[in-house]
Amino acid sequence: MPTKVAVIAHQKKTLGGGLDRLRVVLSEYDVGELLWYEVPKSKKAPKKVKKALKNGAKLVFVWGGDGMVQRCADTMAGSGVPMAVLPAGTGNLFAGNMGIPEDLDESVRIGFQGERRKLDLGVLNGEHFAVMAGAGFEAEMMADVDGAAKGKLGRLAYFRAAARHVGGTPVPMEIKIDGVTWFKDEASCLMLANVGTITGGIEAFDDARPDDGWLDVGVSTARGPIQWARVFATMATGRSEDSPFVRITRAREVSARFASPLTYELDGGDRDATTDITATVAPGALTICVPERTSEPPA
């Protein structure tokens, strides 16, 4: 049992009985010292994570959604200190991909007793991400979903935002994979993934694994509602690359240049528009607490 345990909590996120219940659940474990930090928004979390690590935390519980996980992972990358996710967000894509349930008691138990697994992180324009990053349609959709909409509509807020942006105009872009030009044409969306499942439970990157040392890369040339509907239908029922509007590959380094500035996002958090992005993979950069793997019966 770690002698010092830290909690970094987003005050506006909820799970189970809330933060008061979390204190009770933690008290059931033999924690030597509890470091408790609450923040009003995820961008305030890195400062608290640094403080927790400086004060000797040996396990960090992160209470929040994918944006909170991203901010904390960016700070914890390379530290070797395990992160335990308490999925209190709307989408919780990272927790879902890791098999961490939206159950307070169980997610705390996993933090203390689960496996410690080293995962890759992506690094986009100098900032780490754990789930995926993108520019164009997907990033504009994420930027259009505010906190009030997510609180009221949940996952439906993303689909409503998507409907507003499917008619966007594709932008000329050049994408290089490990230094070699891979795509040079108009496209509506560029995505970089560390895991396979995106918003809505759609398997966008069928072969993505968060510990294989690669980033999965996808570009879509879809235009308008009909073509985008075909893309999503293919993702839902088959493999993404089966769509005539999608190209998929993998890389250790990706660079892209856009003819006009595009908004980009990391794990659901939008960033200022840019004409250039560079991304790399950081193998094994994050230690995460995950459910114990069960042994399979012999064939």
Side-chain angles (χ1 to χ4, degrees), residues 1-287:
M1 191 67 63
T3 55
K4 280 191 179 182
V5 174
V7 171
I8 315 293
H10 193 309
Q11 295 169 335
K12 298 178 182 178
K13 303 299 181 178
T14 60
L15 175 66
L19 291 174
D20 287 342
R21 173 60 185 166
L22 174 60
R23 287 182 182 273
V24 173
V25 175
L26 290 173
S27 71
E28 297 172 357
Y29 294 84
D30 187 19
V31 177
E33 182 179 351
L34 180 62
L35 307 174
W36 189 278
Y37 308 96
E38 295 183 24
V39 296
K41 54 180 66 175
S42 61
K43 65 172 59 177
K44 301 285 187 180
K47 185 176 180 180
K48 302 302 183 183
V49 174
K50 291 177 184 177
K51 188 173 182 179
L53 296 178
K54 184 178 180 180
N55 288 335
K58 301 302 181 185
L59 171 63
V60 176
F61 282 93
V62 175
W63 171 284
D66 292 312
M68 189 72 173
V69 170
Q70 184 271 319
R71 297 283 188 178
C72 294
D74 185 44
T75 307
M76 295 180 66
S79 69
V81 175
M83 174 194 289
V85 178
L86 304 174
T90 303
N92 300 317
L93 291 176
F94 182 73
N97 276 277
M98 294 298 104
I100 301 169
E102 295 179 17
D103 179 285
L104 179 55
D105 290 57
E106 179 61 11
S107 58
V108 170
R109 189 202 67 77
I110 290 169
F112 286 115
Q113 301 174 355
E115 287 188 26
R116 270 52 175 162
R117 182 180 174 190
K118 286 188 176 295
L119 300 183
D120 306 333
L121 292 174
V123 185
L124 177 59
N125 287 4
E127 193 174 358
H128 293 84
F129 64 92
V131 182
M132 61 184 60
F137 163 75
E138 188 248 359
E140 291 167 358
M141 176 190 73
M142 292 294 185
D144 194 24
V145 181
D146 59 25
K150 285 195 289 185
K152 183 178 180 180
L153 301 175
R155 291 177 175 86
L156 289 176
Y158 294 105
F159 293 102
R160 190 176 71 171
R164 288 197 290 264
H165 290 278
V166 291
T169 303
V171 173
M173 61 178 71
E174 181 178 6
I175 304 169
K176 292 186 177 181
I177 300 297
D178 296 327
V180 179
T181 298
W182 172 69
F183 179 90
K184 190 174 183 179
D185 203 343
E186 290 186 344
S188 47
C189 180
L190 167 65
M191 293 181 68
L192 313 173
N194 192 38
V195 299
T197 303
I198 64 173
T199 303
I202 296 173
E203 192 79 8
F205 295 90
D206 301 272
D207 301 319
R209 286 177 47 200
D211 58 359
D212 61 2
W214 295 92
L215 286 177
D216 285 68
V217 185
V219 64
S220 176
T221 58
R223 297 170 179 258
I226 294 177
Q227 291 186 0
W228 271 113
R230 290 177 61 186
V231 169
F232 289 130
T234 302
M235 287 181 176
T237 60
R239 293 180 63 86
S240 298
E241 60 263 39
D242 293 338
S243 169
F245 309 112
V246 174
R247 285 186 65 183
I248 300 287
T249 190
R250 55 176 43 182
R252 289 194 167 90
E253 181 176 348
V254 183
S255 61
R257 176 167 293 181
F258 314 125
S260 58
L262 291 178
T263 297
Y264 72 98
E265 64 88 16
L266 298 93
D267 292 350
D270 60 292
R271 303 294 187 266
D272 292 338
T274 183
T275 57
D276 298 270
I277 62 172
T278 300
T280 57
V281 62
L286 182 68
T287 303

